[in-house]
Amino acid sequence: MPLPPLSLSLQIARFDGAGAHRAALPRHHVARWLRHALGGEVQAAEITVRVVDAEEGRALNRDYRHKDYATNVLTFDYSGAPVVAADLVLCAPVVAREAAELRKPLAEHYAHLLVHGALHAQGWDHETSEQDAVAMEARESAILQALGLPDPYARPARKR
């Protein structure tokens, strides 16, 4: 099955260290990650990805979700299938901190969060129930593994 067409706007705000984030987000990788995250009922998508600093991330989370802290990814979905339209806002300092804590490359964590945000744009939600959370995590894992990336939810094997 061919992947749906994607109209992508990739924006990186001006902030200290933006170059590392720009390097982790080559446009062709971002488009590939997002297109793979789009479900079979999606015929096309228009997605803006914006990478912001902590101040803008916090303000958006506060104004739209009434949570006064910067979060890793915010999804603003405007229309669902068959044509998905959404803005995905990623907070660079939060993404970088999480990637370091998880000991994973910055680009790999961005891939996960972009897939996560794209699923939200299609109506997936992990906050509605445990069953929905498990289903969304499984979908994210399958998409990332199909892209050749590790399962972000895999637990490390215990040493005996």
Short mmCIF file of all heavy atoms in Angstrom, two decimals, residues 8-15 18 21-22 24-25 30-31 33-34 47-61 69-76 86-99 106-118 120:
data_model
loop_
_atom_site.label_atom_id
_atom_site.label_comp_id
_atom_site.label_asym_id
_atom_site.label_seq_id
_atom_site.Cartn_x
_atom_site.Cartn_y
_atom_site.Cartn_z
N LEU A 8 4.33 19.15 4.11
CA LEU A 8 5.05 19.34 5.37
C LEU A 8 5.67 20.73 5.43
O LEU A 8 6.38 21.14 4.51
CB LEU A 8 6.15 18.28 5.51
CG LEU A 8 7.11 18.44 6.69
CD1 LEU A 8 6.38 18.30 8.02
CD2 LEU A 8 8.24 17.42 6.57
N SER A 9 5.41 21.40 6.54
CA SER A 9 6.13 22.63 6.86
C SER A 9 6.95 22.34 8.10
O SER A 9 6.40 21.95 9.14
CB SER A 9 5.15 23.78 7.14
OG SER A 9 5.85 24.93 7.57
N LEU A 10 8.27 22.46 8.00
CA LEU A 10 9.17 22.20 9.11
C LEU A 10 9.78 23.52 9.56
O LEU A 10 10.48 24.18 8.79
CB LEU A 10 10.26 21.21 8.67
CG LEU A 10 11.32 20.83 9.70
CD1 LEU A 10 10.69 20.23 10.96
CD2 LEU A 10 12.32 19.86 9.07
N GLN A 11 9.48 23.90 10.81
CA GLN A 11 9.93 25.19 11.35
C GLN A 11 10.74 24.96 12.61
O GLN A 11 10.30 24.23 13.50
CB GLN A 11 8.72 26.06 11.69
CG GLN A 11 7.77 26.28 10.54
CD GLN A 11 6.48 26.96 11.00
OE1 GLN A 11 6.30 27.31 12.17
NE2 GLN A 11 5.57 27.14 10.06
N ILE A 12 11.89 25.60 12.67
CA ILE A 12 12.70 25.53 13.89
C ILE A 12 12.92 26.96 14.35
O ILE A 12 13.50 27.78 13.64
CB ILE A 12 14.02 24.79 13.64
CG1 ILE A 12 13.70 23.36 13.19
CG2 ILE A 12 14.87 24.80 14.91
CD1 ILE A 12 14.87 22.49 12.90
N ALA A 13 12.39 27.24 15.54
CA ALA A 13 12.50 28.59 16.10
C ALA A 13 13.96 28.92 16.37
O ALA A 13 14.82 28.03 16.39
CB ALA A 13 11.68 28.68 17.39
N ARG A 14 14.23 30.17 16.59
CA ARG A 14 15.58 30.61 16.94
C ARG A 14 15.76 30.51 18.44
O ARG A 14 15.01 31.12 19.20
CB ARG A 14 15.81 32.04 16.49
CG ARG A 14 15.79 32.20 14.99
CD ARG A 14 15.91 33.67 14.63
NE ARG A 14 15.56 33.85 13.24
CZ ARG A 14 16.43 34.11 12.28
NH1 ARG A 14 17.69 34.26 12.57
NH2 ARG A 14 16.02 34.24 11.04
N PHE A 15 16.72 29.69 18.85
CA PHE A 15 17.04 29.55 20.27
C PHE A 15 18.46 28.99 20.35
O PHE A 15 18.99 28.44 19.37
CB PHE A 15 16.04 28.64 21.00
CG PHE A 15 15.86 27.27 20.39
CD1 PHE A 15 16.70 26.22 20.72
CD2 PHE A 15 14.85 27.04 19.47
CE1 PHE A 15 16.52 24.97 20.15
CE2 PHE A 15 14.66 25.80 18.90
CZ PHE A 15 15.51 24.75 19.24
N ALA A 18 19.85 25.55 18.61
CA ALA A 18 18.91 25.12 17.57
C ALA A 18 19.59 24.29 16.48
O ALA A 18 18.97 23.41 15.89
CB ALA A 18 18.22 26.33 16.93
N HIS A 21 19.31 20.56 16.92
CA HIS A 21 17.96 20.08 16.66
C HIS A 21 17.68 20.06 15.15
O HIS A 21 17.07 19.12 14.65
CB HIS A 21 16.94 20.93 17.43
CG HIS A 21 17.12 20.77 18.90
ND1 HIS A 21 16.49 19.81 19.64
CD2 HIS A 21 17.93 21.44 19.77
CE1 HIS A 21 16.87 19.89 20.90
NE2 HIS A 21 17.75 20.87 21.00
N ARG A 22 18.15 21.07 14.47
CA ARG A 22 18.00 21.10 13.01
C ARG A 22 18.74 19.91 12.38
O ARG A 22 18.21 19.25 11.49
CB ARG A 22 18.56 22.42 12.46
CG ARG A 22 18.33 22.64 10.98
CD ARG A 22 18.83 23.99 10.51
NE ARG A 22 18.45 25.12 11.34
CZ ARG A 22 17.26 25.72 11.31
NH1 ARG A 22 16.34 25.29 10.49
NH2 ARG A 22 17.00 26.75 12.09
N ALA A 24 19.26 17.03 13.72
CA ALA A 24 18.56 15.79 14.07
C ALA A 24 17.27 15.61 13.28
O ALA A 24 16.67 14.53 13.33
CB ALA A 24 18.26 15.76 15.57
N LEU A 25 16.86 16.64 12.55
CA LEU A 25 15.57 16.63 11.87
C LEU A 25 15.68 16.93 10.37
O LEU A 25 15.05 17.86 9.87
CB LEU A 25 14.63 17.66 12.52
CG LEU A 25 14.19 17.32 13.94
CD1 LEU A 25 13.60 18.54 14.63
CD2 LEU A 25 13.21 16.16 13.92
N VAL A 30 11.93 13.51 8.59
CA VAL A 30 10.68 13.93 9.23
C VAL A 30 9.48 13.51 8.37
O VAL A 30 8.51 12.95 8.87
CB VAL A 30 10.67 15.45 9.49
CG1 VAL A 30 9.30 15.92 9.99
CG2 VAL A 30 11.76 15.82 10.49
N ALA A 31 9.56 13.75 7.07
CA ALA A 31 8.47 13.37 6.16
C ALA A 31 8.26 11.85 6.18
O ALA A 31 7.12 11.38 6.24
CB ALA A 31 8.76 13.86 4.74
N TRP A 33 9.02 9.67 8.60
CA TRP A 33 8.46 9.27 9.90
C TRP A 33 6.96 9.57 9.95
O TRP A 33 6.17 8.72 10.36
CB TRP A 33 9.17 9.98 11.04
CG TRP A 33 10.64 9.71 11.15
CD1 TRP A 33 11.31 8.58 10.72
CD2 TRP A 33 11.63 10.56 11.70
NE1 TRP A 33 12.65 8.70 10.99
CE2 TRP A 33 12.89 9.90 11.60
CE3 TRP A 33 11.59 11.82 12.29
CZ2 TRP A 33 14.06 10.47 12.07
CZ3 TRP A 33 12.77 12.39 12.75
CH2 TRP A 33 13.99 11.71 12.64
N LEU A 34 6.59 10.76 9.51
CA LEU A 34 5.17 11.15 9.57
C LEU A 34 4.32 10.33 8.60
O LEU A 34 3.23 9.89 8.96
CB LEU A 34 5.03 12.65 9.27
CG LEU A 34 5.56 13.58 10.35
CD1 LEU A 34 5.54 15.03 9.86
CD2 LEU A 34 4.78 13.43 11.65
N ILE A 47 0.78 18.80 7.50
CA ILE A 47 1.30 18.85 8.86
C ILE A 47 2.40 19.90 8.95
O ILE A 47 3.32 19.93 8.13
CB ILE A 47 1.82 17.48 9.33
CG1 ILE A 47 0.66 16.46 9.32
CG2 ILE A 47 2.45 17.58 10.71
CD1 ILE A 47 1.08 15.05 9.68
N THR A 48 2.29 20.74 9.98
CA THR A 48 3.36 21.66 10.32
C THR A 48 4.04 21.13 11.56
O THR A 48 3.38 20.79 12.54
CB THR A 48 2.80 23.08 10.60
OG1 THR A 48 2.22 23.59 9.40
CG2 THR A 48 3.90 24.02 11.07
N VAL A 49 5.36 21.03 11.50
CA VAL A 49 6.16 20.65 12.65
C VAL A 49 6.95 21.88 13.06
O VAL A 49 7.66 22.47 12.24
CB VAL A 49 7.13 19.49 12.31
CG1 VAL A 49 8.09 19.22 13.45
CG2 VAL A 49 6.34 18.24 11.94
N ARG A 50 6.79 22.29 14.31
CA ARG A 50 7.51 23.46 14.82
C ARG A 50 8.28 23.04 16.06
O ARG A 50 7.72 22.48 17.00
CB ARG A 50 6.54 24.59 15.15
CG ARG A 50 7.23 25.83 15.68
CD ARG A 50 6.33 27.06 15.64
NE ARG A 50 6.92 28.18 16.34
CZ ARG A 50 7.88 28.97 15.87
NH1 ARG A 50 8.35 28.74 14.65
NH2 ARG A 50 8.36 29.96 16.57
N VAL A 51 9.58 23.33 16.07
CA VAL A 51 10.44 23.05 17.21
C VAL A 51 10.69 24.37 17.92
O VAL A 51 11.14 25.34 17.29
CB VAL A 51 11.76 22.39 16.75
CG1 VAL A 51 12.67 22.09 17.94
CG2 VAL A 51 11.47 21.12 15.96
N VAL A 52 10.38 24.40 19.21
CA VAL A 52 10.39 25.65 19.97
C VAL A 52 11.28 25.55 21.21
O VAL A 52 11.69 24.47 21.61
CB VAL A 52 8.95 26.05 20.39
CG1 VAL A 52 8.05 26.21 19.16
CG2 VAL A 52 8.35 25.04 21.36
N ASP A 53 11.51 26.71 21.84
CA ASP A 53 12.26 26.74 23.09
C ASP A 53 11.31 26.49 24.26
O ASP A 53 10.09 26.34 24.08
CB ASP A 53 13.00 28.06 23.24
CG ASP A 53 12.09 29.28 23.31
OD1 ASP A 53 10.84 29.14 23.41
OD2 ASP A 53 12.61 30.41 23.27
N ALA A 54 11.85 26.45 25.46
CA ALA A 54 11.06 26.13 26.65
C ALA A 54 9.99 27.19 26.92
O ALA A 54 8.87 26.85 27.32
CB ALA A 54 11.97 25.98 27.86
N GLU A 55 10.30 28.44 26.67
CA GLU A 55 9.34 29.51 26.94
C GLU A 55 8.10 29.37 26.06
O GLU A 55 6.96 29.42 26.55
CB GLU A 55 10.00 30.87 26.72
CG GLU A 55 9.11 32.05 27.05
CD GLU A 55 9.80 33.39 26.85
OE1 GLU A 55 11.04 33.43 26.75
OE2 GLU A 55 9.08 34.40 26.77
N GLU A 56 8.29 29.18 24.76
CA GLU A 56 7.15 29.03 23.86
C GLU A 56 6.40 27.72 24.15
O GLU A 56 5.16 27.69 24.14
CB GLU A 56 7.60 29.07 22.40
CG GLU A 56 6.45 29.05 21.41
CD GLU A 56 6.87 29.23 19.96
OE1 GLU A 56 8.03 29.63 19.69
OE2 GLU A 56 6.02 28.98 19.10
N GLY A 57 7.13 26.66 24.41
CA GLY A 57 6.49 25.38 24.74
C GLY A 57 5.63 25.47 25.98
O GLY A 57 4.51 24.95 26.02
N ARG A 58 6.15 26.14 26.99
CA ARG A 58 5.39 26.31 28.24
C ARG A 58 4.15 27.16 28.00
O ARG A 58 3.06 26.83 28.49
CB ARG A 58 6.28 26.94 29.31
CG ARG A 58 5.58 27.14 30.62
CD ARG A 58 6.50 27.73 31.66
NE ARG A 58 5.80 27.91 32.91
CZ ARG A 58 6.34 28.40 34.00
NH1 ARG A 58 7.62 28.74 34.02
NH2 ARG A 58 5.63 28.54 35.10
N ALA A 59 4.29 28.25 27.27
CA ALA A 59 3.15 29.14 27.00
C ALA A 59 2.04 28.40 26.24
O ALA A 59 0.86 28.54 26.57
CB ALA A 59 3.61 30.37 26.23
N LEU A 60 2.41 27.63 25.24
CA LEU A 60 1.40 26.89 24.47
C LEU A 60 0.71 25.84 25.33
O LEU A 60 -0.52 25.68 25.28
CB LEU A 60 2.04 26.23 23.24
CG LEU A 60 2.44 27.19 22.13
CD1 LEU A 60 3.34 26.49 21.12
CD2 LEU A 60 1.22 27.78 21.45
N ASN A 61 1.48 25.11 26.14
CA ASN A 61 0.89 24.09 27.00
C ASN A 61 -0.03 24.73 28.05
O ASN A 61 -1.10 24.22 28.34
CB ASN A 61 1.99 23.27 27.68
CG ASN A 61 1.51 21.92 28.16
OD1 ASN A 61 0.58 21.33 27.62
ND2 ASN A 61 2.16 21.41 29.19
N TYR A 69 3.73 24.05 32.27
CA TYR A 69 5.08 23.54 32.10
C TYR A 69 5.26 23.20 30.62
O TYR A 69 4.29 23.01 29.89
CB TYR A 69 5.34 22.29 32.97
CG TYR A 69 4.40 21.14 32.70
CD1 TYR A 69 4.66 20.19 31.71
CD2 TYR A 69 3.22 21.01 33.43
CE1 TYR A 69 3.78 19.15 31.46
CE2 TYR A 69 2.33 19.96 33.19
CZ TYR A 69 2.62 19.04 32.21
OH TYR A 69 1.75 18.01 31.96
N ALA A 70 6.50 23.13 30.20
CA ALA A 70 6.79 22.75 28.82
C ALA A 70 6.74 21.23 28.73
O ALA A 70 7.30 20.54 29.57
CB ALA A 70 8.16 23.26 28.41
N THR A 71 6.06 20.71 27.72
CA THR A 71 5.97 19.26 27.50
C THR A 71 6.70 18.91 26.21
O THR A 71 7.05 19.81 25.43
CB THR A 71 4.49 18.81 27.47
OG1 THR A 71 4.44 17.38 27.48
CG2 THR A 71 3.75 19.36 26.27
N ASN A 72 6.91 17.64 25.95
CA ASN A 72 7.72 17.26 24.80
C ASN A 72 7.03 17.53 23.46
O ASN A 72 7.63 18.07 22.55
CB ASN A 72 8.19 15.80 24.91
CG ASN A 72 7.08 14.81 25.18
OD1 ASN A 72 5.89 15.08 24.98
ND2 ASN A 72 7.47 13.64 25.65
N VAL A 73 5.75 17.13 23.31
CA VAL A 73 5.06 17.35 22.05
C VAL A 73 3.61 17.74 22.32
O VAL A 73 2.96 17.18 23.19
CB VAL A 73 5.14 16.12 21.11
CG1 VAL A 73 4.50 14.89 21.73
CG2 VAL A 73 4.54 16.41 19.75
N LEU A 74 3.16 18.72 21.57
CA LEU A 74 1.75 19.14 21.58
C LEU A 74 1.19 18.92 20.19
O LEU A 74 1.85 19.23 19.19
CB LEU A 74 1.63 20.63 21.93
CG LEU A 74 2.00 21.04 23.34
CD1 LEU A 74 2.13 22.56 23.43
CD2 LEU A 74 0.95 20.53 24.32
N THR A 75 -0.01 18.38 20.12
CA THR A 75 -0.67 18.15 18.85
C THR A 75 -1.90 19.02 18.76
O THR A 75 -2.75 18.99 19.64
CB THR A 75 -1.08 16.67 18.69
OG1 THR A 75 0.10 15.86 18.77
CG2 THR A 75 -1.78 16.43 17.36
N PHE A 76 -1.98 19.78 17.70
CA PHE A 76 -3.16 20.58 17.39
C PHE A 76 -3.75 19.98 16.12
O PHE A 76 -3.20 20.15 15.04
CB PHE A 76 -2.79 22.05 17.19
CG PHE A 76 -2.18 22.69 18.41
CD1 PHE A 76 -0.81 22.68 18.61
CD2 PHE A 76 -2.99 23.26 19.38
CE1 PHE A 76 -0.25 23.25 19.74
CE2 PHE A 76 -2.44 23.83 20.52
CZ PHE A 76 -1.07 23.82 20.71
N ALA A 86 -2.78 19.11 10.81
CA ALA A 86 -2.36 19.25 12.19
C ALA A 86 -1.08 20.04 12.30
O ALA A 86 -0.29 20.12 11.35
CB ALA A 86 -2.16 17.87 12.83
N ASP A 87 -0.89 20.61 13.49
CA ASP A 87 0.38 21.22 13.88
C ASP A 87 0.95 20.36 15.00
O ASP A 87 0.22 20.02 15.95
CB ASP A 87 0.18 22.64 14.41
CG ASP A 87 -0.28 23.62 13.36
OD1 ASP A 87 -0.07 23.36 12.16
OD2 ASP A 87 -0.85 24.66 13.74
N LEU A 88 2.23 20.04 14.90
CA LEU A 88 2.93 19.33 15.96
C LEU A 88 4.01 20.26 16.48
O LEU A 88 4.86 20.72 15.70
CB LEU A 88 3.56 18.04 15.44
CG LEU A 88 2.63 17.04 14.74
CD1 LEU A 88 3.41 15.82 14.26
CD2 LEU A 88 1.49 16.64 15.63
N VAL A 89 3.97 20.57 17.76
CA VAL A 89 4.93 21.48 18.37
C VAL A 89 5.78 20.67 19.34
O VAL A 89 5.26 20.04 20.26
CB VAL A 89 4.22 22.64 19.11
CG1 VAL A 89 5.24 23.56 19.75
CG2 VAL A 89 3.31 23.40 18.16
N LEU A 90 7.08 20.69 19.10
CA LEU A 90 8.02 19.96 19.95
C LEU A 90 8.90 20.94 20.70
O LEU A 90 9.44 21.88 20.09
CB LEU A 90 8.87 19.02 19.09
CG LEU A 90 8.04 17.95 18.40
CD1 LEU A 90 8.08 18.14 16.91
CD2 LEU A 90 8.50 16.59 18.79
N CYS A 91 9.05 20.74 21.99
CA CYS A 91 9.86 21.62 22.82
C CYS A 91 11.28 21.07 22.90
O CYS A 91 11.53 20.05 23.57
CB CYS A 91 9.23 21.74 24.21
SG CYS A 91 10.12 22.90 25.25
N ALA A 92 12.19 21.73 22.22
CA ALA A 92 13.57 21.25 22.06
C ALA A 92 14.27 20.91 23.39
O ALA A 92 14.86 19.83 23.50
CB ALA A 92 14.38 22.26 21.25
N PRO A 93 14.23 21.79 24.40
CA PRO A 93 14.94 21.44 25.64
C PRO A 93 14.37 20.20 26.33
O PRO A 93 15.12 19.39 26.89
CB PRO A 93 14.77 22.67 26.53
CG PRO A 93 14.42 23.78 25.62
CD PRO A 93 13.71 23.15 24.45
N VAL A 94 13.07 20.02 26.26
CA VAL A 94 12.44 18.84 26.87
C VAL A 94 12.83 17.59 26.09
O VAL A 94 13.20 16.57 26.67
CB VAL A 94 10.90 19.00 26.94
CG1 VAL A 94 10.25 17.72 27.45
CG2 VAL A 94 10.52 20.19 27.82
N VAL A 95 12.78 17.66 24.76
CA VAL A 95 13.14 16.52 23.93
C VAL A 95 14.60 16.14 24.17
O VAL A 95 14.93 14.96 24.32
CB VAL A 95 12.87 16.82 22.44
CG1 VAL A 95 13.36 15.67 21.56
CG2 VAL A 95 11.39 17.08 22.20
N ALA A 96 15.48 17.14 24.22
CA ALA A 96 16.91 16.87 24.44
C ALA A 96 17.14 16.25 25.82
O ALA A 96 17.92 15.29 25.95
CB ALA A 96 17.71 18.15 24.29
N ARG A 97 16.48 16.76 26.84
CA ARG A 97 16.64 16.22 28.19
C ARG A 97 16.16 14.76 28.25
O ARG A 97 16.83 13.89 28.78
CB ARG A 97 15.87 17.06 29.21
CG ARG A 97 16.09 16.59 30.66
CD ARG A 97 15.18 17.25 31.67
NE ARG A 97 13.85 16.67 31.52
CZ ARG A 97 12.74 17.36 31.26
NH1 ARG A 97 12.79 18.67 31.11
NH2 ARG A 97 11.58 16.75 31.15
N GLU A 98 14.99 14.50 27.65
CA GLU A 98 14.46 13.15 27.66
C GLU A 98 15.36 12.18 26.89
O GLU A 98 15.60 11.06 27.34
CB GLU A 98 13.05 13.12 27.05
CG GLU A 98 12.01 13.78 27.92
CD GLU A 98 10.64 13.84 27.27
OE1 GLU A 98 10.52 13.58 26.04
OE2 GLU A 98 9.67 14.17 27.98
N ALA A 99 15.86 12.61 25.74
CA ALA A 99 16.76 11.76 24.95
C ALA A 99 18.00 11.40 25.77
O ALA A 99 18.44 10.24 25.79
CB ALA A 99 17.13 12.44 23.64
N LEU A 106 19.22 11.89 19.76
CA LEU A 106 18.19 12.93 19.67
C LEU A 106 17.24 12.66 18.51
O LEU A 106 16.02 12.76 18.66
CB LEU A 106 18.86 14.31 19.52
CG LEU A 106 17.95 15.53 19.52
CD1 LEU A 106 17.14 15.62 20.81
CD2 LEU A 106 18.79 16.79 19.33
N ALA A 107 17.76 12.30 17.34
CA ALA A 107 16.92 12.04 16.17
C ALA A 107 15.95 10.89 16.43
O ALA A 107 14.78 10.95 16.02
CB ALA A 107 17.78 11.73 14.95
N GLU A 108 16.40 9.87 17.13
CA GLU A 108 15.54 8.72 17.43
C GLU A 108 14.37 9.14 18.33
O GLU A 108 13.24 8.70 18.14
CB GLU A 108 16.38 7.65 18.10
CG GLU A 108 15.67 6.35 18.37
CD GLU A 108 16.60 5.35 19.03
OE1 GLU A 108 17.66 5.04 18.42
OE2 GLU A 108 16.27 4.89 20.14
N HIS A 109 14.65 10.00 19.30
CA HIS A 109 13.57 10.45 20.20
C HIS A 109 12.60 11.36 19.44
O HIS A 109 11.39 11.27 19.62
CB HIS A 109 14.16 11.15 21.42
CG HIS A 109 13.17 11.33 22.53
ND1 HIS A 109 12.29 10.34 22.94
CD2 HIS A 109 12.90 12.39 23.33
CE1 HIS A 109 11.54 10.78 23.93
NE2 HIS A 109 11.89 12.03 24.19
N TYR A 110 13.14 12.22 18.57
CA TYR A 110 12.26 13.04 17.73
C TYR A 110 11.36 12.15 16.87
O TYR A 110 10.17 12.43 16.72
CB TYR A 110 13.07 13.99 16.84
CG TYR A 110 13.31 15.34 17.44
CD1 TYR A 110 14.61 15.81 17.65
CD2 TYR A 110 12.26 16.18 17.79
CE1 TYR A 110 14.83 17.07 18.21
CE2 TYR A 110 12.48 17.44 18.34
CZ TYR A 110 13.76 17.87 18.55
OH TYR A 110 13.98 19.12 19.09
N ALA A 111 11.91 11.10 16.29
CA ALA A 111 11.10 10.19 15.47
C ALA A 111 9.93 9.65 16.28
O ALA A 111 8.78 9.65 15.82
CB ALA A 111 11.95 9.05 14.91
N HIS A 112 10.22 9.19 17.50
CA HIS A 112 9.16 8.66 18.35
C HIS A 112 8.10 9.71 18.63
O HIS A 112 6.90 9.45 18.51
CB HIS A 112 9.77 8.13 19.65
CG HIS A 112 8.74 7.65 20.62
ND1 HIS A 112 8.93 7.67 21.97
CD2 HIS A 112 7.48 7.16 20.44
CE1 HIS A 112 7.86 7.19 22.58
NE2 HIS A 112 6.97 6.89 21.68
N LEU A 113 8.52 10.90 19.00
CA LEU A 113 7.55 11.94 19.36
C LEU A 113 6.75 12.42 18.15
O LEU A 113 5.56 12.76 18.29
CB LEU A 113 8.27 13.11 20.05
CG LEU A 113 8.86 12.74 21.41
CD1 LEU A 113 9.69 13.90 21.94
CD2 LEU A 113 7.79 12.33 22.40
N LEU A 114 7.35 12.43 16.98
CA LEU A 114 6.60 12.80 15.78
C LEU A 114 5.56 11.74 15.43
O LEU A 114 4.43 12.06 15.06
CB LEU A 114 7.55 13.06 14.61
CG LEU A 114 8.32 14.37 14.72
CD1 LEU A 114 9.48 14.41 13.74
CD2 LEU A 114 7.39 15.56 14.51
N VAL A 115 5.92 10.48 15.56
CA VAL A 115 4.95 9.41 15.35
C VAL A 115 3.83 9.53 16.38
O VAL A 115 2.64 9.45 16.05
CB VAL A 115 5.64 8.03 15.41
CG1 VAL A 115 4.63 6.90 15.53
CG2 VAL A 115 6.53 7.83 14.19
N HIS A 116 4.20 9.76 17.62
CA HIS A 116 3.23 9.91 18.71
C HIS A 116 2.27 11.06 18.41
O HIS A 116 1.04 10.90 18.49
CB HIS A 116 3.99 10.18 20.02
CG HIS A 116 3.15 10.31 21.22
ND1 HIS A 116 2.77 9.22 21.99
CD2 HIS A 116 2.61 11.39 21.83
CE1 HIS A 116 2.04 9.64 23.01
NE2 HIS A 116 1.92 10.95 22.93
N GLY A 117 2.81 12.21 18.02
CA GLY A 117 1.97 13.37 17.70
C GLY A 117 1.08 13.12 16.50
O GLY A 117 -0.08 13.53 16.48
N ALA A 118 1.61 12.44 15.48
CA ALA A 118 0.81 12.14 14.29
C ALA A 118 -0.34 11.20 14.62
O ALA A 118 -1.44 11.32 14.06
CB ALA A 118 1.69 11.55 13.20
N HIS A 120 -1.86 11.12 17.56
CA HIS A 120 -2.83 11.99 18.23
C HIS A 120 -3.67 12.75 17.19
O HIS A 120 -4.88 12.90 17.35
CB HIS A 120 -2.14 13.01 19.14
CG HIS A 120 -1.87 12.51 20.52
ND1 HIS A 120 -2.83 11.98 21.34
CD2 HIS A 120 -0.72 12.49 21.24
CE1 HIS A 120 -2.30 11.64 22.50
NE2 HIS A 120 -1.00 11.94 22.46
#
